[in-house]
């Protein structure tokens, strides 16, 4: 059992005009192994900032607060150290990596995280099975990472990484964006397989409730203006489906 704890997290970002803007204004979250925490909220509320701050994106500066993984200071770790400690980020906009094939990328990442190369015969079998489960053409393994991939193909590749790397905690930043219904089901099935196989803690960031029909959250947190405005169980997502975010945005 592992625990990711976020306490009083304040984060700023450097704007293009040289100014500094505070995005997160005191976030508290605790995620345990096997739990799914859905973070929902309107555009600009700080959801993606939370994801990238935990992952260590240099654009974001933590000005106050702590992030710990099983008591270890995540914020003191480099990005690669966070990955080796068990952190995983599925990006909203996965980047292209020309010249690096998917197969080489996956095996290199697995080797770096585990500290040793996976046995080739077992690894090839695992990759093929995971790709088949995600309805990915085997030819994708020899294509450059995300290069000329469709939006849906990029998101499947993110979940392929999650299934193979088996992180302790997975942050899924709007993994549902740009997916049609069929692709959404396939991606959700991949997340659910990871939960069943390795029980990672999952921080699922989304605007909409549709992905929560397939990935059942244990907890739902509503983000507004860089803070958790309300939290509850799955029923909170149902309430948001009915009423939206107006009650959080309209002054009393």
């Amino acid at each position: 059992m592992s625990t990711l704890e976020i306490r009083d997290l304040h984060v700023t970002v450097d704007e293009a005009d040289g100014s500094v803007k505070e995005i997160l204004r005191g976030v508290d979250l605790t995620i345990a192994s096997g739990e799914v925490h859905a973070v929902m909220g309107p555009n600009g509320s700080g959801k993606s900032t939370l994801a990238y701050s935990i992952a260590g994106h240099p654009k974001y500066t933590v000005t106050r607060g702590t992030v710990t993984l099983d008591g270890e200071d995540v914020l003191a770790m480099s990005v690669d150290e966070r990955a080796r400690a068990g952190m995983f980020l599925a990006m909203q906009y996965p980047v292209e990596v020309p010249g690096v094939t998917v197969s080489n990328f996956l095996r290199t990442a697995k080797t770096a995280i585990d500290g040793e190369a996976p046995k080739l015969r077992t690894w090839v079998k695992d990759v093929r099975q995971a790709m088949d489960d995600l309805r990915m053409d085997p030819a994708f393994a020899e294509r450059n990472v995300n290069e000329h991939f469709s939006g849906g193909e990029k998101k499947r590749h993110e979940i392929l990484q999650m299934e193979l790397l088996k992180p302790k905690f997975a942050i899924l930043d709007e993994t549902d964006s740009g997916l049609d219904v069929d692709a959404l089901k396939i991606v959700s099935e991949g997340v659910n397989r990871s939960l069943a196989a390795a029980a990672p803690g999952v921080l699922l960031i989304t605007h909409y409730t549709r992905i929560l029909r397939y990935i059942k959250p244990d907890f739902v947190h509503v983000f507004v203006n860089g803070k958790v405005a309300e939290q509850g169980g799955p029923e909170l997502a149902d309430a948001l489906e009915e009423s939206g975010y107006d009650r959080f945005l309209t002054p009393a």
Side-chain angles (χ1 to χ4, degrees):
M1 178 70 72
S2 290
T3 304
L4 179 68
E5 292 189 89
I6 303 164
R7 291 287 175 268
D8 193 31
L9 190 65
H10 291 248
V11 173
T12 61
V13 62
D14 295 329
E15 300 281 61
D17 62 3
S19 63
V20 176
K21 181 179 180 181
E22 186 176 44
I23 304 294
L24 299 187
R25 299 177 173 89
V27 175
D28 293 291
L29 281 175
T30 300
I31 306 170
S33 298
E35 294 179 349
V36 177
H37 290 246
V39 171
M40 306 183 69
N43 284 326
S45 58
K47 302 185 302 299
S48 291
T49 297
L50 176 64
Y52 286 102
S53 298
I54 296 171
H57 195 296
K59 177 181 176 181
Y60 301 95
T61 301
V62 175
T63 58
R64 196 164 85 197
T66 60
V67 179
T68 58
L69 173 57
D70 295 333
E72 296 294 322
D73 184 2
V74 171
L75 301 180
M77 301 177 186
S78 62
V79 173
D80 61 305
E81 287 171 341
R82 297 181 200 205
R84 285 196 292 269
M87 302 296 301
F88 173 79
L89 171 65
M91 294 183 286
Q92 182 179 359
Y93 303 109
V95 297
E96 296 184 2
V97 187
V100 179
T101 65
V102 168
S103 60
N104 284 339
F105 171 78
L106 291 171
R107 194 161 191 263
T108 299
K110 184 68 171 176
T111 300
I113 288 171
D114 290 355
E116 60 180 3
K119 294 181 179 178
L120 190 56
R121 181 177 299 178
T122 303
W123 176 249
V124 170
K125 180 182 177 182
D126 289 345
V127 172
R128 286 176 178 170
Q129 183 61 58
M131 292 183 72
D132 186 58
D133 289 338
L134 287 163
R135 318 290 200 277
M136 297 179 72
D137 187 324
F140 273 92
E142 300 312 315
R143 291 176 60 181
N144 291 337
V145 173
N146 293 322
E147 193 171 38
H148 308 304
F149 283 23
S150 69
E153 290 166 346
K154 288 180 179 180
K155 296 303 177 73
R156 293 187 202 200
H157 179 224
E158 295 289 285
I159 302 307
L160 176 67
Q161 295 171 47
M162 178 181 174
E163 289 203 64
L164 292 169
L165 299 180
K166 295 179 172 56
K168 290 181 180 179
F169 290 93
I171 304 166
L172 309 182
D173 186 17
E174 298 196 31
T175 300
D176 53 340
S177 65
L179 298 183
D180 60 28
V181 173
D182 291 335
L184 178 63
K185 289 181 180 178
I186 292 168
V187 163
S188 298
E189 288 169 358
V191 174
N192 287 330
R193 278 193 302 272
S194 290
L195 282 164
V202 174
L203 184 65
L204 176 60
I205 296 170
T206 182
H207 284 295
Y208 308 107
T209 59
R210 63 176 192 155
I211 194 170
L212 304 183
R213 299 170 192 163
Y214 306 106
I215 304 172
K216 300 301 182 182
D218 298 292
F219 304 93
V220 175
H221 311 271
V222 181
F223 252 48
V224 178
N225 294 325
K227 293 183 178 181
V228 176
E230 187 171 333
Q231 51 194 351
E235 70 281 351
L236 180 53
D238 296 333
L240 291 171
E241 179 79 5
E242 294 293 326
S243 62
Y245 300 110
D246 284 352
R247 68 188 175 94
F248 299 103
L249 302 174
T250 304

